[in-house]
Amino acid sequence: MKRLVTLLLVFIGPVLVNGLVGCDDCHPAPSRFTIGGYKLSLQKAGVNPSYPTEVGSVSPGDTVVSRQLQIRLLSQEIYSASRSGGGTSAFACEPAIIPLDVIKSLAITSNQAFGADLPVGANLTSVLSVEYGSRSATDYFSQPNIPAQSYVFTFIKSPERIARHRFTVQVELQNGKTFTDTTIAVTIKPY
């Protein structure tokens, strides 16, 4: 019986003790990352009426209503090595994830005119919201110290006419790095 209790304490004891450690006690070191690049993806929202937040892929040549189209700016994150203080790595809380890079400027353009006030090549951030909000991307990215990470853009204003668009996003970081990527061509219908 003593052997059984000893074996249980040896193998299960650390798990039990670790389970009792809270965030105030473990203080896991934050994970920090820099940006190695950005890739663009187009998604269509509302593909499943039962789950309105579900998105689907957009293929070249698809036609999408502008209010359903999402431009996803996906960051390629490079994590820095983190130091460990020993012991187990099972924490009661997750370490914070902190982007090290800051966006200096962001421009989203199209190869088609979006309207009379937005000709070919004009920055479209004024007609896009960031992270599903009603706030324009222009307002959001004009703030200081915007973290370089992934973002989702949705249209808050539709184009004046149906057209086949290819979007280009250019991101400039405060450290001088610049990243550019272009989407597939997709036909966008006004609301």
Side-chain angles (χ1 to χ4, degrees):
M1 186 67 165
K2 287 183 182 180
R3 285 185 186 175
L4 178 62
V5 171
T6 304
L7 282 173
L8 288 174
L9 287 176
V10 168
F11 291 109
I12 299 175
V15 174
L16 292 175
V17 169
N18 208 21
L20 298 175
V21 175
C23 288
D24 294 336
D25 299 325
C26 67
H27 300 294
S31 296
R32 299 181 188 323
F33 66 87
T34 60
I35 298 298
Y38 277 106
K39 291 291 180 195
L40 289 174
S41 170
L42 294 179
Q43 300 286 313
K44 180 181 177 182
V47 294
N48 184 347
S50 300
Y51 301 97
T53 58
E54 188 175 326
V55 296
S57 297
V58 175
S59 300
D62 281 357
T63 299
V64 181
V65 176
S66 62
R67 71 174 169 271
Q68 293 180 318
L69 186 64
Q70 297 177 350
I71 301 173
R72 292 179 175 247
L73 180 64
L74 306 171
S75 61
Q76 297 172 337
E77 300 161 356
I78 301 171
Y79 285 87
S80 60
S82 60
R83 296 188 320 191
S84 175
T88 65
S89 62
F91 294 109
C93 53
E94 293 292 322
I97 298 175
I98 302 171
L100 295 172
D101 294 323
V102 174
I103 293 177
K104 180 179 179 182
S105 67
L106 180 134
I108 301 174
T109 60
S110 176
N111 66 335
Q112 297 291 323
F114 210 74
D117 56 335
L118 294 168
V120 172
N123 192 346
L124 300 176
T125 55
S126 64
V127 297
L128 292 165
S129 70
V130 65
E131 302 297 329
Y132 312 106
S134 58
R135 185 177 186 186
S136 79
T138 301
D139 293 341
Y140 183 84
F141 286 100
S142 66
Q143 299 176 85
N145 301 319
I146 297 298
Q149 58 189 15
S150 295
Y151 288 97
V152 177
F153 300 95
T154 55
F155 288 94
I156 53 178
K157 180 182 175 188
S158 66
E160 290 179 359
R161 62 181 177 81
I162 190 169
R164 190 175 177 90
H165 292 264
R166 281 182 62 116
F167 298 99
T168 299
V169 176
Q170 183 171 4
V171 179
E172 182 183 1
L173 304 180
Q174 282 187 352
N175 65 11
K177 291 181 185 176
T178 301
F179 303 102
T180 303
D181 197 20
T182 302
T183 67
I184 60 172
V186 61
T187 301
I188 301 176
K189 296 190 309 187
Y191 294 128

